[in-house]
Amino acid sequence: MKARVAPAATAAPAAPAAHATPAGTAATAATAATGSRRTGGRARTGAAAVLLTPFFVLFTAVMVVPIGYAVWLSLFTEKQSGLGFGGTETVFSGLDNYLAALGDRAFREGFGVLLGYCLFYIPLLLAGALGLALLLDSALARARRFFQLALFLPHAVPGIIAALIWVYLYTPQLSPVVKAMESGGIGFDFFSPEGALPSVVNIALWEWLGYNMVIFYAALQAIDRSVLEAATVDGAGAWRTAFSIKLPLIRASLAMVALFTVIGSLQLFTEPLILNKGTGSAVTSTWTPNMYAYTAAFDRNDYGLAAAASVLLALTAALLSFAVTRLTGRRKQDRKQDRKEKQA
């Protein structure tokens, strides 16, 4: 008998291919988009970290560390043991250095000098720089490049060199300016108690007027010319255009220059230090807080007192900077509120 052969097994039919539903497609796309956003976010965060790291390193090295060291140094003082024949030792004094600085009349009078300097110098600087910038920006101005360079050049002169030049011009036995004034019947002692402050203000104006003029002029050049042309078509004259259109549009530059000028004014040091060397000068070695700290550190070797005076001056600068920033910010908010009320 023949063996029966089993029939060959037939292959199972293939399962039909699954069709993608709209919901599945949307979920896949959302997942891909989320992953892409995460990848892009990580890349941007990494790039920002790389770019900001050098800034924070330098900021910590040149700002945070010195301020921290000054605060630490201000809490200690050096005392000699016995009758003064022994060595000096550094002892913790707490706030004694701050109390000593605040209790010193010379230190307090230095802040009075700074107040007078700021009241005299800042308005003259802002008004002079703004006036020169408006003149250069006007249609009547000629040779703008030449006058920009001529007005900016004094800022390129180092402060100590500028102070030495002006000391020469202030000295009666040497200065042709003083001789010309005397020949005209004008007598003025630039080193006297009444003339010391105007003399310092004059040097500072000579140094910084052109620099701030360039800032204002750049801001004026950034104004859309079509706005000025529209004002001219409406019949606005040069004065009306300057005060009603140009000045409101450069308020940000005005606020920035005012802030930096206040901070710079509190750091007054180089000019009075050089004037202090003049014959019969009323500028003393403690005329400003910076000079007081310098004298305490390098003439009296009292580094704790010098550090305390420096910290107090830094706190004053920080408070004034905060006040100027808040004042300009509040005015900006008030202007926005006025616009909304007018539109309503």
Side-chain angles (χ1 to χ4, degrees), residues 313-330:
L313 182 60
L315 289 175
T316 304
L319 290 175
L320 287 177
S321 301
F322 177 76
V324 172
T325 305
R326 285 295 301 270
L327 179 62
T328 54
R330 183 175 300 174

Side-chain angles (χ1 to χ4, degrees), residues 33-322:
T34 302
S36 178
R37 283 195 299 268
R38 288 177 179 174
T39 304
R42 293 194 192 99
R44 286 192 295 270
T45 302
V50 171
L51 294 173
L52 290 174
T53 297
F55 165 76
F56 283 112
V57 170
L58 289 175
F59 180 78
T60 303
V62 304
M63 183 65 69
V64 177
V65 172
I67 291 178
Y69 180 67
V71 173
W72 173 261
L73 195 63
S74 67
L75 300 176
F76 295 87
T77 187
E78 291 186 353
K79 292 185 178 180
Q80 291 184 336
S81 59
L83 298 176
F85 298 102
T88 60
E89 57 178 354
T90 302
V91 297
F92 180 78
S93 59
L95 300 178
D96 288 349
N97 287 320
Y98 292 94
L99 296 176
L102 292 174
D104 195 335
R105 181 179 177 182
F107 184 68
R108 297 195 306 270
E109 289 179 348
F111 277 98
V113 171
L114 278 185
L115 177 61
Y117 175 80
C118 291
L119 293 177
F120 194 10
Y121 168 67
I122 295 176
L124 288 176
L125 178 70
L126 295 179
L130 188 58
L132 290 172
L134 287 171
L135 284 174
L136 289 178
D137 189 60
S138 66
L140 301 177
R142 297 291 183 271
R144 289 187 176 91
R145 298 294 182 185
F146 169 77
F147 285 107
Q148 286 181 56
L149 180 61
L151 291 169
F152 182 79
L153 274 179
H155 181 71
V157 178
I160 190 169
I161 302 300
L164 288 172
I165 293 173
W166 281 101
V167 166
Y168 165 76
L169 294 176
Y170 289 157
T171 304
Q173 295 80 10
L174 303 174
S175 172
V177 176
V178 175
K179 291 180 180 179
M181 292 173 60
E182 290 177 348
S183 63
I186 302 174
F188 186 79
D189 186 0
F190 293 97
F191 298 105
S192 65
E194 298 79 14
L197 185 60
S199 300
V200 174
V201 169
N202 177 62
I203 299 174
L205 285 173
W206 186 79
E207 290 181 272
W208 291 96
L209 190 66
Y211 174 83
N212 291 287
M213 180 273 298
V214 170
I215 296 176
F216 289 145
Y217 180 71
L220 290 170
Q221 289 291 297
I223 297 176
D224 189 357
R225 297 291 108 176
S226 62
V227 176
L228 303 179
E229 292 173 1
T232 304
V233 171
D234 290 340
W239 288 100
R240 182 66 182 276
T241 302
F243 288 97
S244 299
I245 297 176
K246 291 183 178 181
L247 290 185
L249 292 176
I250 63 169
R251 280 198 181 101
S253 297
L254 281 168
M256 180 192 70
V257 170
L259 177 62
F260 289 164
T261 304
V262 168
I263 296 174
S265 298
L266 295 177
Q267 300 174 7
L268 182 64
F269 177 74
T270 304
E271 294 84 358
L273 181 67
I274 300 301
L275 286 181
N276 173 249
K277 310 302 180 183
T279 303
S281 175
V283 178
T284 63
S285 59
T286 58
W287 200 62
T288 66
N290 263 338
M291 296 178 68
Y292 179 91
Y294 178 85
T295 302
F298 299 105
D299 289 350
R300 292 184 282 169
N301 295 324
D302 193 344
Y303 299 107
L305 180 62
S310 301
V311 171
L312 291 172
L313 182 60
L315 289 175
T316 304
L319 290 175
L320 287 177
S321 301
F322 177 76

